[in-house]
Amino acid sequence: LRSAPKVAATIPRIATLLTLVLATLTNSASHSSLTSLRSLDPPTTRLQHNLRLSTLRGGSGAQKMAGNGVLYLIGLGLGDEKDITVRGLEAIRRCKAVYLEAYTSILGVEKDKLEEYYGCPVTLMDREAVEQECDAMLEMSKTDEVAFLVVGDVYGATTHTDMAVRAKSMGVTVKVIHNASIMNACAACGLQLYNFGQTVSICFFTDNWRPYSFVDKLVFNMRNNLHTLCLVDIKVKEQSEENMARGRKIYEPPRFMTVNQALEQIMECVENREDIRDVLSADTFCVGMARVGQETQVIASGPLKLLKDYDFGPPLHSLVIPGEMHYLEEEMLKTFVYLTDDAKPTAEAGPSTDSEAGPSALQAQAETEKTAGAKKEEGGSGEQVCLAELATRVLNEPDAEEKAKKTIEYRRLWLNGVVKVPHYNTPPSNLKDEPARPPSVQMVHPTKVKQGSKVAFIHSLCHAESYAIDLMWDIIARFVDQDLPKEFYDDWSRVAADEARHFGVWKERLEELGSGYGQFTAHDSLWASAQDTAHDLLARLAIVHMVHEARGLDVASIGLAKLMRSNPPDTVSAAILETNVEEEITHVGAAVKWFSYICEKRGLGEPEKLFHEYVRKFFRGALKPPFNIEFRQRAGMSEAWYVPLAEKGGKEEEEEEKKTKEKEEEETAHLPKVGEEEEEEDSFMQAAAGQIDDFFDAINS
């Protein structure tokens, strides 16, 4: 203090702060508040800070009459910031503190959009803060108006009921403002609410925990001719078993169950429980819903065996298993995507809203599409168009958005059976060495691509998906002379449609973040691998799909972690990436499937050994660990496929690396030497950024 007079001047302020902390402790309702002050996790710190501000504004609890405050529990609905009720918005604007529960569900917009529309700051509260550390918020509610926001309706989760009970036991006035939730919005599919039975929750299966008991309620409802709403699992800010056991607050990336995963788990139950097969089977009629209440809402129905392969897009998803249906319910379902055993939907796939055309218009559109799709676009002669021709139209289209639209359209025509399987002796004459690309996207050397920011990262994902569309159509058009079965083209047109949808979602996300596709530089180095393997289908499958695309699976968790480390955590982008990764696993799986098929058909021996030969021939260097063993296993790649390739490539490779290093040293010899301190800092930063660099390397490749 003698050497720092300015510090001494802060003593009165420190004393004031200590007084406030003591007041907080004195007015605490339970011992758990003391615990929260000791641990001081970020949400708790923010709560205590707001409590001090409240005390400064209105005096301590002893000075202000208890009962003047209110805790508002406010439902936000299912869509965006504008779904809140007028009453709820008025309450928020009166409150001194506003908290958003962020783990039982997610909203379709970022927190900053809420803050802009509400005109006040919003504090996120995770599971731990809501369930264990909310005493400070409740204490504040005794003297001030405080809002607690919930996606959907307030009482959609037992956590919020528990909070209301705790608040009332502390003498806090609680006011509830309701809103729409999936519990009533599920009627958007046309099934009448009074015909629903018990709601069922479907949790993620793990290696050690695969409970089949959830189907008991489902079967009970079906045997009583009742519909069943199935709420599928979400995992936000969850710890692994190991981190939980060790007390480490390290959290897993967010996971959102899809309709497809829920149906797969139901089928596993059917396979293992004979007693439920009288009502549940692969032919059971189901309804899948995604992003209900949002502009991109999707509703599709059909037999379980067909619906489990339908693409519902990003989260959140819900599932309904109908009981006995009224004819009006059936008619309503047919106005959305309605899958039948001949795989011909009766309505257009894609987002479904009340503003879309009615059933007659949709059916007429489908019939017109079938007729138009059966003719050549150029001449309209009535001859069926070949899938390879459609592939070249996408490849020769320079506009990225048009590429994606044509891909979705051509996939639909293929599913409707109006596009013929390609059987040529040579590829189409208009197939070029390189695809047409949008001139608005500036292409640079991979090392010159801007990296680091969240938006730049998302741009690189968007660009990768755009190029992936071209890669999938190229494999369809370039190898038409290989005498491949229809299923080959079915798989790769499906993958192309996946990539088109991924591109569209990332493009939309960039625009939500104030950017756009083409506002950052990009590169086309992956196409070099496609050109190197243009003469050999096995080489193409091995390098492009089983090396590069599989590498994306290995580093996906790093990308998810990057998005969740942003401030605030970007749960929307993380959810998109997590969903996309699930689909990318099936893309790698398609490559493994067809690589193995061709090896067997041609009598080429063990596919793993042939894969090693192709990788050593066409891929420079060894495969780089760590590998995501779980994702690769799910794609059909056992460790025998890739672990032998992770070893050093021998003296030849070492010599090449040595020459490269010498050349780099020679090129940088004229540059000034870095100081000792700068060198130490640089090495530290390189070590810290190593994993992220690996991720960008994979994306750029």
Side-chain angles (χ1 to χ4, degrees):
L1 293 177
R2 285 195 300 271
S3 62
K6 289 184 179 180
V7 175
T10 67
I11 292 296
R13 295 168 66 187
I14 294 173
T16 301
L17 177 60
L18 289 172
T19 302
L20 291 174
V21 172
L22 288 171
T24 300
L25 294 174
T26 304
N27 292 326
S28 176
S30 69
H31 179 72
S32 62
S33 294
L34 302 177
T35 306
S36 70
L37 281 169
R38 294 187 189 108
S39 60
L40 284 180
D41 285 339
T44 308
T45 306
R46 185 67 176 269
L47 285 168
Q48 298 292 355
H49 172 68
N50 284 337
L51 179 57
R52 296 185 198 109
L53 288 179
S54 174
T55 306
L56 285 170
R57 288 168 179 158
S60 68
Q63 295 169 319
K64 193 167 182 176
M65 290 293 293
N68 291 343
V70 178
L71 174 64
Y72 290 99
L73 302 179
I74 302 174
L76 299 183
L78 298 170
D80 55 25
E81 72 277 13
K82 296 180 181 178
D83 275 14
I84 191 169
T85 63
V86 174
R87 184 164 168 249
L89 185 59
E90 290 174 347
I92 285 174
R93 290 176 175 170
R94 288 197 304 270
C95 290
K96 288 192 175 181
V98 180
Y99 301 97
L100 172 63
E101 184 264 275
Y103 76 92
T104 61
S105 188
I106 58 171
L107 205 59
V109 293
E110 292 281 4
K111 180 172 77 78
D112 56 357
K113 285 284 186 70
L114 298 181
E115 292 176 326
E116 181 182 352
Y117 190 70
Y118 299 162
C120 63
V122 176
T123 302
L124 288 176
M125 292 186 74
D126 57 25
R127 179 190 295 272
E128 186 176 1
V130 171
E131 294 184 347
Q132 301 174 18
E133 310 291 349
C134 70
D135 284 342
M137 180 182 71
L138 299 181
E139 189 71 29
M140 191 195 313
S141 301
K142 290 182 176 179
T143 56
D144 290 303
E145 291 183 297
V146 177
F148 182 78
L149 313 182
V150 179
V151 178
D153 186 55
V154 171
Y155 291 139
T158 55
T159 296
H160 312 133
T161 305
D162 176 69
M163 178 182 290
V165 171
R166 291 171 64 188
K168 290 179 180 181
S169 69
M170 294 171 63
V172 175
T173 300
V174 178
K175 293 186 178 181
V176 178
I177 302 175
H178 294 283
N179 210 318
S181 77
I182 192 60
M183 300 296 287
N184 62 336
C186 62
C189 68
L191 298 177
Q192 297 166 7
L193 284 175
Y194 57 78
N195 288 334
F196 277 77
Q198 301 178 73
T199 300
V200 172
S201 295
I202 304 180
C203 301
F204 278 112
F205 284 178
T206 67
D207 292 338
N208 304 319
W209 189 66
R210 310 181 81 77
Y212 299 155
S213 56
F214 73 89
V215 297
D216 293 333
K217 286 185 180 180
L218 172 56
V219 169
F220 176 86
N221 288 342
M222 295 183 73
R223 286 174 179 160
N224 287 277
N225 297 321
L226 298 172
H227 310 321
T228 306
L229 171 63
C230 300
L231 304 177
V232 299
D233 203 1
I234 70 172
K235 300 287 188 185
V236 179
K237 204 174 180 183
E238 298 275 344
Q239 293 172 278
S240 66
E241 292 180 4
E242 180 185 354
N243 287 329
M244 191 180 298
R246 294 176 178 270
R248 297 184 299 205
K249 295 202 173 181
I250 301 173
Y251 301 101
E252 299 293 296
R255 298 173 62 204
F256 302 88
M257 183 180 284
T258 63
V259 168
N260 317 81
Q261 290 171 309
L263 292 174
E264 292 285 358
Q265 291 188 185
I266 289 174
M267 277 309 301
E268 182 176 325
C269 295
V270 173
E271 291 166 4
N272 288 277
R273 285 189 52 177
E274 188 175 349
D275 61 310
I276 63 175
R277 293 176 192 165
D278 60 316
V279 290
L280 275 177
S281 70
D283 293 316
T284 297
F285 189 82
C286 306
V287 182
M289 299 184 289
R291 302 172 302 285
V292 174
Q294 300 180 23
E295 290 295 325
T296 58
Q297 171 180 294
V298 170
I299 298 174
S301 61
L304 189 155
K305 62 188 177 186
L306 298 181
L307 203 66
K308 70 181 180 64
D309 294 324
Y310 186 79
D311 184 358
F312 286 89
L316 295 170
H317 291 191
S318 299
L319 174 67
V320 175
I321 312 293
E324 183 177 345
M325 289 191 287
H326 186 270
Y327 78 92
L328 189 60
E329 292 177 305
E330 293 180 352
E331 289 302 312
M332 184 65 174
L333 282 171
K334 289 177 181 177
T335 67
F336 304 110
V337 177
Y338 192 79
L339 304 176
T340 58
D341 284 324
D342 58 1
K344 296 180 182 178
T346 60
E348 182 182 7
S352 55
T353 67
D354 291 338
S355 62
E356 290 185 14
S360 58
L362 287 170
Q363 289 164 5
Q365 180 182 351
E367 290 303 317
T368 303
E369 185 180 68
K370 287 182 182 182
T371 304
K375 298 180 180 180
K376 293 247 184 207
E377 286 185 10
E378 291 84 358
S381 63
E383 180 186 349
Q384 267 195 313
V385 68
C386 171
L387 188 64
E389 287 187 43
L390 298 181
T392 59
R393 292 177 194 172
V394 177
L395 290 164
N396 294 332
E397 171 58 60
D399 186 275
E401 194 167 359
E402 280 301 311
K403 276 183 190 288
K405 288 180 180 178
K406 286 184 176 181
T407 296
I408 299 297
E409 177 189 350
Y410 296 162
R411 168 65 176 172
R412 187 163 60 247
L413 290 174
W414 171 263
L415 288 175
N416 283 347
V418 296
V419 178
K420 66 181 181 182
V421 176
H423 288 296
Y424 296 142
N425 294 326
T426 58
S429 57
N430 58 343
L431 178 63
K432 301 174 183 177
D433 291 338
E434 295 185 19
R437 297 298 305 167
S440 59
V441 182
Q442 183 185 356
M443 309 301 282
V444 297
H445 189 273
T447 58
K448 303 293 184 182
V449 174
K450 183 178 179 181
Q451 300 176 358
S453 73
K454 179 182 77 174
V455 179
F457 170 54
I458 293 174
H459 186 276
S460 66
L461 292 171
C462 184
H463 178 69
E465 300 292 5
S466 178
Y467 247 112
I469 297 172
D470 287 327
L471 285 166
M472 304 315 154
W473 284 115
D474 189 81
I475 201 173
I476 287 172
R478 198 165 297 278
F479 301 101
V480 291
D481 58 345
Q482 303 284 311
D483 190 28
L484 296 161
K486 179 179 182 292
E487 191 180 352
F488 175 88
Y489 299 104
D490 189 58
D491 276 352
W492 293 109
S493 62
R494 171 185 61 81
V495 174
D498 283 351
E499 307 293 15
R501 186 181 49 75
H502 295 177
F503 167 77
V505 173
W506 285 126
K507 179 177 178 295
E508 182 180 338
R509 185 66 184 136
L510 282 172
E511 292 166 357
E512 289 173 354
L513 294 170
S515 185
Y517 182 48
Q519 293 193 15
F520 291 85
T521 55
H523 71 88
D524 59 357
S525 60
L526 183 57
W527 199 260
S529 294
Q531 288 179 316
D532 290 344
T533 58
H535 64 289
D536 190 328
L537 176 56
L538 284 173
R540 171 66 65 85
L541 291 168
I543 305 305
V544 173
H545 302 283
M546 298 168 68
V547 171
H548 290 300
E549 200 162 6
R551 179 61 179 159
L553 302 181
D554 297 334
V555 296
S557 59
I558 300 172
L560 287 167
K562 178 181 176 66
L563 293 170
M564 293 304 292
R565 280 200 305 269
S566 60
N567 188 18
D570 190 349
T571 54
V572 175
S573 298
I576 294 170
L577 181 57
E578 195 268 345
T579 302
N580 289 358
V581 168
E582 287 295 321
E583 294 172 350
E584 297 293 347
I585 292 172
T586 69
H587 301 175
V588 177
V592 175
K593 166 185 170 181
W594 290 107
F595 190 94
S596 302
Y597 168 85
I598 294 169
C599 286
E600 182 180 352
K601 184 180 178 182
R602 297 178 184 176
L604 300 176
E606 296 181 29
E608 293 91 339
K609 291 183 178 179
L610 188 61
F611 174 71
H612 299 162
E613 292 177 17
Y614 273 108
V615 173
R616 291 188 176 109
K617 181 177 180 181
F618 291 100
F619 185 75
R620 180 180 174 183
L623 300 187
K624 191 175 183 180
F627 303 109
N628 192 315
I629 297 173
E630 179 196 345
F631 285 176
R632 285 174 174 259
Q633 189 72 41
R634 286 170 59 190
M637 290 189 81
S638 65
E639 294 184 54
W641 284 90
Y642 54 88
V643 169
L645 296 168
E647 301 167 356
K648 287 288 184 182
K651 292 182 179 179
E652 189 175 317
E653 183 185 327
E654 290 177 6
E655 284 295 322
E656 189 174 349
E657 288 181 1
K658 185 178 179 182
K659 288 178 183 178
T660 302
K661 188 174 181 181
E662 289 174 353
K663 185 178 179 181
E664 288 176 354
E665 290 175 353
E666 185 180 338
E667 289 175 349
T668 58
H670 64 286
L671 298 175
K673 297 294 181 184
V674 191
E676 198 169 326
E677 291 181 2
E678 291 176 338
E679 194 173 40
E680 182 179 343
E681 182 182 354
D682 187 56
S683 64
F684 172 79
M685 292 302 293
Q686 286 180 15
Q691 282 190 308
I692 296 299
D693 287 343
D694 285 348
F695 185 80
F696 280 116
D697 287 345
I699 293 298
N700 288 333
S701 71

